[in-house]
Amino acid sequence: MSQICVSLGRTRHSMVVAEHQALAQRGAELVELRLDWLSKAPDLGRLLTQRPTPVVITCRRPADGGRWKETEDKRQALLRQAIVSGVEYVDLEEEIATKIRRYGKTKRIVSYHNFSGTPNDLEERYGRMCELDADVIKVVTMAQSPRDNVRLLQLMEGAKIPTVAFCMGEFGLISRILCAKYGAPFSYATFNVDRVLAPGQISFDEMRNLYRYEQINAQTEVFGVLGDPIAHSYSPRIHNAAFRHDQRNAVYLPMRVPAEELDETLEAYSWLDVRGYSVTIPHKERAMRLANFRDDIVEDIGAANTLFRDNRNNWYAANTDLDAALSSIRMGLEMKGDSELAGKRVLLLGAGGVAKAIGQGVLRAGAALTVTNRTKQRGADLAQQLGCQFVAWENRGAAYVDVLVNCTPMGMYPHMNETPFQANWIREGTVVFDTIYNPESTLLLKEARERGCHCVSGLEMFVNQAAAQYQCFTRQAAPIDVMREALRKGISAVRSAD
Ligand code: NAP
């Protein structure tokens, strides 16, 4: 089992001691004490005498991303002193590994950090590091591309000396976590989300509870969401909650991939044997072309939000957004006692990607569609493309409709006092579907409810599209209530952190 090593960097000894105790109470089993962060000369006795967990002692120079201000001689003397004190691990950069000798039971982590990139000669360097009497080799580089993750993870395959290798930066998150799958004895996390000591580090809680790092092993199946940006995606919360509930040995990761790097990244990630991807902006159109097979609906819409392996291990492209949106509208119609969408008059507010997909779905279901949009030309273009009615934005209140769908961000957090449709325009009995899921109850939905309308939140669409993806990925029914709850909790956690 791979462990989580929590890095502690504080300026005061008292804070290091207090946080170390707190971490032990939270279940941490290994803690890195970053001596270079202390503002006064490090007092090892104070930090180590009653240490509640095994420790890694590290003292970084600025060149390696640290804050040590004293001389190099003093730094090395401190590291020797830590070894004599019998600490469990000491971190020695590769250049000083031969200068500081093995003594007692202290294990030697021989490390290499590169904050500017992942050098071409990484593999040769790793070979040299293997000659430095290491118990653990640590290699950490800045990912300049998502593919760098694979190079780092490959270092660990067949390693003769236990090795921790991962990338820093937002591209690097996947290797921080997947290093457990390739045999790393531990990976690093921070005390909490506000205490990031190196770019891209994630918190102990996220590592343990969101990604279940300590359960990851060679058999763990890998899934993820491809997008750019991706850091704020709720999909990892939802899918990992479902895996946990189903006790499935699988992990789902946010995978930031720039638009122009999708093809090369997927090729490189084939080494990771990823079993399925959710796909979001800007990759939905390109992802569809990269699959060997696709649903008819994907061909029609020209976009996929899901890539998964079929029974023969081919890549299959699906679009679960559309069904999820249509079932949300049908849910509203059912509240009214009428689930038939055919023949209903639907008004779509907005002409972006979501409006286009929902417009196509609504027309396929036989409804009469009208599109309206703030920017007239874009709305008129979409209406022409779909072959439906267009109404000017300023006249949208006059349209007589059975179903109103908001596909604009008006009313989305933090602009919760906005609405795309004035309250006095809303007719009693209308089905109102707002694609926004944060907040779950937008001003539009609140006002529509007050007028006796049948309302559905975008949260249902989001959960339904994720549940359908889960079914594609695992070929089993999704625990949809667990996923809905995970999304609600995620939204409120992010809001309370703001
Ligand atoms: P998009 O392609 O950027 O399109 C945004 C649309 O909203 C455009 O028509 C834009 O009009 C309009 N708009 C933007 N700001 C506006 C404002 N202040 N007033 C009036 N109109 C405005 O975005 P998208 O990908 O289609 O996403 C649209 C919405 O769908 C998002 O806001 C999100 O809440 C929701 N969504 C929901 C889910 C789900 O699963 N529930 C998933 C994805 C997205 P212009 O043409 O004038 O710019």
Side-chain angles (χ1 to χ4, degrees):
M1 181 185 104
S2 190
Q3 286 184 309
I4 302 171
C5 177
V6 187
S7 299
L8 267 187
R10 300 305 309 259
T11 52
R12 286 164 49 203
H13 286 74
S14 57
M15 290 310 295
V16 176
V17 172
E19 290 191 357
H20 196 173
Q21 290 291 348
L23 277 170
Q25 274 160 18
R26 282 162 61 194
E29 290 168 346
L30 184 60
V31 173
E32 178 187 46
L33 303 182
R34 285 284 301 266
L35 304 184
D36 52 299
W37 273 65
L38 290 164
S39 52
K40 290 193 179 147
D43 178 347
L44 287 180
R46 216 173 143 193
L47 299 177
L48 299 175
T49 310
Q50 294 195 322
R51 60 184 180 278
T53 72
V55 292
V56 174
I57 289 295
T58 301
C59 187
R60 291 256 183 270
R61 303 165 292 201
D64 299 307
R67 295 182 162 200
W68 183 248
K69 292 187 192 73
E70 295 292 336
T71 65
E72 178 61 10
D73 283 348
K74 278 194 183 162
R75 190 176 79 98
Q76 292 184 23
L78 192 59
L79 293 169
R80 286 190 191 94
Q81 194 192 335
I83 295 172
V84 172
S85 312
V87 298
E88 288 72 19
Y89 292 93
V90 65
D91 184 308
L92 307 171
E93 296 82 10
E94 59 167 334
E95 312 86 83
I96 66 162
T98 52
K99 295 181 190 156
I100 296 185
R101 284 194 296 153
R102 177 180 288 283
Y103 174 79
K105 289 191 179 157
T106 301
K107 289 188 175 163
R108 292 157 56 89
I109 300 174
V110 175
S111 66
Y112 167 68
H113 292 81
N114 188 324
F115 279 76
S116 56
T118 303
N120 291 334
D121 66 349
L122 187 71
E123 292 74 12
E124 292 81 33
R125 183 183 287 273
Y126 177 74
R128 290 197 300 274
M129 290 169 78
C130 289
E131 307 300 318
L132 297 174
D133 188 23
D135 295 289
V136 175
I137 295 181
K138 179 185 182 198
V139 182
V140 183
T141 65
M142 182 61 77
Q144 286 167 318
S145 135
R147 284 165 287 157
D148 289 335
N149 287 299
V150 177
R151 280 187 64 206
L152 272 284
L153 293 173
Q154 283 174 337
L155 287 182
M156 288 182 286
E157 215 196 20
K160 297 202 172 50
I161 298 172
T163 299
V164 186
F166 58 82
C167 286
M168 290 181 281
E170 204 194 325
F171 290 134
L173 186 134
I174 73 160
S175 52
R176 275 187 187 279
I177 294 170
L178 290 183
C179 61
K181 184 173 163 75
Y182 298 96
F186 45 78
S187 185
Y188 291 77
T190 58
F191 181 75
N192 65 27
V193 281
D194 302 323
R195 296 280 170 69
V196 173
L197 307 187
Q201 261 185 339
I202 55 175
S203 71
F204 177 52
D205 278 347
E206 270 189 311
M207 201 105 165
R208 170 166 274 187
N209 300 322
L210 175 57
Y211 299 112
R212 292 185 298 151
Y213 178 85
E214 290 142 309
Q215 272 83 59
I216 294 175
N217 58 25
Q219 284 71 47
T220 301
E221 295 175 306
V222 180
F223 299 88
V225 52
L226 299 166
D228 190 16
I230 205 62
H232 299 297
S233 170
Y234 288 104
S235 297
R237 291 177 187 265
I238 301 180
H239 285 276
N240 284 317
F243 289 147
R244 174 196 285 272
H245 175 270
D246 286 351
Q247 297 183 359
R248 196 174 178 98
N249 185 4
V251 65
Y252 182 105
L253 303 166
M255 298 175 169
R256 182 179 161 212
V257 179
E260 61 288 358
E261 289 192 47
L262 183 67
D263 296 29
E264 302 90 311
T265 303
L266 290 191
E267 203 178 314
Y269 283 10
S270 63
W271 186 81
L272 304 173
D273 195 26
V274 178
R275 307 309 299 164
Y277 295 104
S278 305
V279 183
T280 185
I281 294 166
H283 301 307
K284 288 189 174 184
E285 283 81 20
R286 182 69 199 149
M288 145 193 162
R289 295 198 197 94
L290 295 177
N292 310 94
F293 300 97
R294 42 201 148 257
D295 279 345
D296 290 349
I297 209 161
V298 169
E299 298 274 9
D300 279 6
I301 301 175
N305 77 333
T306 313
L307 289 175
F308 65 101
R309 302 271 197 183
D310 67 11
N311 294 336
R312 298 205 177 120
N313 221 23
N314 288 308
W315 281 109
Y316 198 95
N319 192 316
T320 66
D321 281 335
L322 198 57
D323 271 352
L326 292 185
S327 55
S328 299
I329 296 174
R330 288 202 177 94
M331 193 186 277
L333 289 168
E334 271 160 23
M335 291 176 195
K336 215 177 160 176
D338 171 12
S339 62
E340 189 54 70
L341 187 49
K344 297 287 184 311
R345 288 154 300 188
V346 178
L347 176 64
L348 267 190
L349 308 174
V354 170
K356 184 180 169 194
I358 295 181
Q360 279 168 316
V362 159
L363 286 171
R364 282 164 72 108
L369 179 67
T370 302
V371 167
T372 183
N373 192 48
R374 177 181 63 175
T375 306
K376 191 171 182 180
Q377 193 57 49
R378 193 176 178 198
D381 287 350
L382 179 63
Q384 193 185 25
Q385 207 183 332
L386 296 176
C388 71
Q389 296 287 319
F390 171 74
V391 65
W393 186 246
E394 51 280 12
N395 297 334
R396 65 194 183 286
Y400 189 86
V401 295
D402 304 301
V403 179
L404 176 69
V405 183
N406 176 34
C407 299
T408 79
M410 287 190 80
M412 189 158 82
Y413 177 80
H415 304 290
M416 295 186 307
N417 56 356
E418 291 180 3
T419 173
F421 208 76
Q422 258 174 242
N424 60 327
W425 296 340
I426 303 173
R427 210 166 41 89
E428 187 184 344
T430 308
V431 168
V432 181
F433 169 43
D434 196 335
T435 62
I436 290 172
Y437 53 85
N438 182 12
E440 187 171 348
S441 189
T442 57
L443 181 57
L444 171 66
L445 293 185
K446 281 183 198 146
E447 292 181 336
R449 243 178 245 118
E450 280 164 15
R451 275 162 183 74
C453 295
H454 308 283
C455 296
V456 183
S457 158
L459 191 119
E460 287 307 318
M461 173 178 164
F462 197 87
V463 169
N464 279 317
Q465 63 79 28
Q469 287 183 330
Y470 189 86
Q471 197 148 355
C472 294
F473 293 159
T474 63
R475 292 179 184 77
Q476 67 183 65
I480 195 156
D481 292 339
V482 170
M483 296 173 97
R484 188 180 291 107
E485 221 25 61
L487 178 58
R488 282 193 178 126
K489 270 195 194 146
I491 290 171
S492 71
V494 169
R495 286 237 215 119
S496 52
D498 274 1

